[in-house]
Amino acid sequence: MRWALPGALKRGGVLAINRRNAHYTQFLNPRKQYPLVDDKLATKRLVMDSGISVPELYGLVEAPYQARNLDQILQERENFVIKPARGSGGKGILVFSGRYKRAYRLSNGHLMEAEELRHHVLDILGGLFSLGGQPDKAFVEEKVNFDPVFEAVSYQGVPDVRIIVFMAVPVMAMVRLPTRRSDGKANLHKGAVGVGVDMATGKTLGGVLGNAPVAEHPDTGHPIVGLQVPHWEMLLSLAARCGDLTGMGYLGVDLVLDRIKGPLLLELNARPGLNIQIANGAGLLPRLEEVRRERCRLREVEDRVRFSMERFAAL
Amino acid sequence: MNKSHLYIALILSGLGLGLFLYKVLALGFPVVKETKASIWYVETHVTFEADGGPVKVVMNIPGNQATLRVSDESFVSPGYGLTIKEEGVDRQAIWSVREAYGEQSLYYRGVVRRLPAKDLPKFEEAPSVIPHGFDGAELVAAKAILKEAKSRSADLESMVQQLIKIINRPKPDELVAPLLKADASVRDKALLMVRILALEGIPARLRHGVKLEDTREAILIERFQVFEKGRWACYDPITAEKKSLPGQECLFLWRGESPQVTVDGGHNVRASTAVRATLEQAMENAITRGRTSNPLLIKFSLFSLPVRVQQVYEVILLVPVGAFLIVILRNLVGIRTSGVFMPVLIALAFRETKISWGIILFVSMVLLGLAVRFLLDRLKLLLVPRLTVVLLSVIGFMVAISILTNHLGLERGVSVALFPMVILTMTIERFCIIWEESGPAETLYRGVASLAAATCAYLVMSWHPVGYLVFVFPELLVVIMAFTLLIGRYSGYRVSDLVRFKAISEKQR
Ligand SMILES: Nc1ncnc2c1ncn2[C@@H]1O[C@H](COP(=O)(O)OP(=O)(O)O)[C@@H](O)[C@H]1O
Ligand SMILES: [Mg+2]
């Protein structure tokens, strides 16, 4: 059979999009908090105030005329990332890792002229990549030097860790590995591999590519199971704090591991994707229920992290 | 869990269905459209210049015939005295006035109703043969024509056809010339044929009628009828083609060889007949009933609007039906279309172009637009100007396709202009982004999904019973609204989830 019966999904505790929208994101995420999450610059400001580290912001382009100052922002930098402030799904993000004469080298090796880069920034400002086509801002930030654990299982890009946080309790996590197809970005929609993570230990479980399970990285061929995510407990407590800070009941937290700076917060998502369940081979619903039942006794961040490490361990 | 949507949905569907049932059960609105229109207004308008003296206008007016009844006649003729002369099925209105000057205008109006098949009385006048009235050289010529027609035929039917052909031979024809003037009208020829057939004792006649379909100026249909084997057989008096019996769609206005209108004391006579098909019988009865028992309901219904506005609403009311379908496809099935209501608007365009042409035109427009869009990419234009350039080229393509297909005689291609061009432009831009961001496979998926959704919407929206129901019973849209509310709170699995999350359900077992 190519499909499962609804009853089987229900027994598996699968959270699907209708239910996520109707019972979680719409109910638990207050409308007025959305701008904090949808705008990456606002998120940066919010979390920096409370001491969470983020990739350094090099510069900001808010209006077309400022695009001329791009050279000034970039100076002699070789490693940087250009992003739309209100983008999603990796859209409009360019990751650079070098220069060649007047041109910039993308992480996939292609060169981009300064002129082309400026045009891309103008497209971002025009709202080409933003939610609903609204005019947007572009910003330049530091390129993360990712931790060498994932060296062998990342193709020309930075892997990130996605943690679903429900009522400020981390409930499920995955590592996302860029592939040739995902073009240096770790977004599943673009073709990155998602790898489930054991909440208790931070060790990777199995992976998914699209909707199908995989055990090796499609480009490097390395096994993706059994890798240890460094600073695991710290990542969980960072995620839990983001839940507190935003007041969002159902949140996706994107973290990266910098070789030197340690865990950095990349962005927050008010409507995180659901494929994380496939990566973990487990449904979200039972975990969400468990948190809902016991949330009132979990006051401190440490309590919540311990709770999720104990309860959501892989079997 | 908040249940108010349930109560609202219940109330809405109760209201909608209640009104619907009231209209069907109490007022008798038909639930399915009667397949044929069965009431027509027929109007003949006569104009002429009066000479200043006494005027007498004789007009042949339609009478009852096999399946049609004429009733509610009215004659608009200020200052004229009117008498109606009836002889069997022949009816004439005779207007007369002592003296009249200048432009005169007279109207005849009647309502024609189709009788249900079971009420059909036997209604056919006895065939009669008029005296042929030939003598001398004329008689010889007439007999010669008859002989020639007979020699070329095997039975009555082919003989009549031969006779029509002989009479219509291009002039000069030595056989026909002695009997027919060079500029003889159809009526003159028909009269001649009637007289020739009278030599054999075969009853024949000419009838004039109009097609019962909406028209401002009906074209007169002439039928030459010959009584054979107990029935009147119809022939086209020019081509000799055999026609089926007086069709139901044809109202005979008069018979015989006289013109429709003759005017004594006037000149420049013009007569034109207009036909307007109207609501079906049952519907008309229901509206009449509604007017008396519930005047507000009818007064504030779509039927109170001018006919042209009604036609606009016939289309507009279909949009919610298409939108509802999209809701189902997206929220219950889980198909990702590009743009939420884009498929509905495309489906509306398909209604005009018809589906196969619609798909061809849509795909070619999108492909052309994408080509332009990719070329524009090199120019590095800003977003909004770029969209405008694509919009301009989309319109350019529309014009080009219309002109080209028009020259090729492909009528449907011309209707490309009905595609919503702004939507088309946004679709092109979106496809282009999807292409760049997610690759050709995803673009193809979105394109096919959108087209499939548009096709589904088209099939539902162009299905006649649907259009009829939402127009006659717009309250059904309230029921659709209720269902949309329910789907809006549906938190179960979509069909696509069943495929997507299959792996998890397996592991669990
Ligand atoms: N500063 C950075 N350095 C390196 N890679 C980055 C950086 N920012 C983003 N990326 C890459 O782009 C992907 C998407 O970035 P993210 O900020 O999560 O935006 P989005 O909202 O589009 O998902 C990340 O998973 C990562 O692979
Ligand atoms: Mg992200």
Side-chain angles (χ1 to χ4, degrees), chain A residues 38 40 44 55-56 80-96 139 141-146 157-162 176 178 182-187 254-256 264 266-269:
Chain A
D38 286 341
K40 293 191 172 67
K44 259 191 206 302
E56 187 190 336
F80 61 92
V81 176
I82 293 192
K83 283 191 193 183
R86 312 171 108 268
S88 66
K91 279 181 258 174
I93 296 181
L94 293 180
V95 183
F96 293 92
F139 66 94
E141 72 177 10
E142 149 191 30
K143 183 190 161 209
V144 175
N145 289 307
F146 66 96
V158 177
D160 69 4
V161 180
R162 156 65 60 86
R176 301 185 295 180
S182 78
D183 195 19
K185 281 160 268 182
N187 294 85
D254 286 3
L255 300 158
V256 277
L264 304 178
L266 209 50
E267 64 143 356
L268 300 172
N269 284 288

Side-chain angles (χ1 to χ4, degrees), chain A residues 1 14 18 119 190 275, chain B residues 331 437 493-494 500 502:
Chain A
M1 260 216 308
V14 173
N18 282 346
H119 183 254
K190 308 215 106 200
N275 270 11
Chain B
N331 280 44
E437 295 283 336
Y493 297 115
R494 299 177 181 175
R500 183 176 168 194
K502 179 176 179 270

Side-chain angles (χ1 to χ4, degrees), chain A residues 1-2 4 9-10 14 16-19 23 91 119 122-123 126 128-129 190 211 275 277-278, chain B residues 1 331 380-383 386 429 433 437 490-494 497-498 500-502 504-505 508:
Chain A
M1 260 216 308
R2 299 232 10 243
L9 291 196
K10 194 150 200 160
V14 173
I17 189 154
N18 282 346
R19 192 177 198 86
H23 293 189
K91 279 181 258 174
H119 183 254
L122 291 175
D123 267 352
L128 192 51
F129 308 105
K190 308 215 106 200
N211 290 334
N275 270 11
Q277 300 174 97
I278 306 177
Chain B
M1 190 94 302
N331 280 44
K380 304 291 169 204
L381 300 181
L382 292 182
L383 182 61
R386 183 170 68 217
E429 180 72 16
I433 300 294
E437 295 283 336
Y490 169 74
S491 60
Y493 297 115
R494 299 177 181 175
D497 292 333
L498 301 183
R500 183 176 168 194
F501 295 114
K502 179 176 179 270
I504 301 181
S505 73
Q508 224 55 17

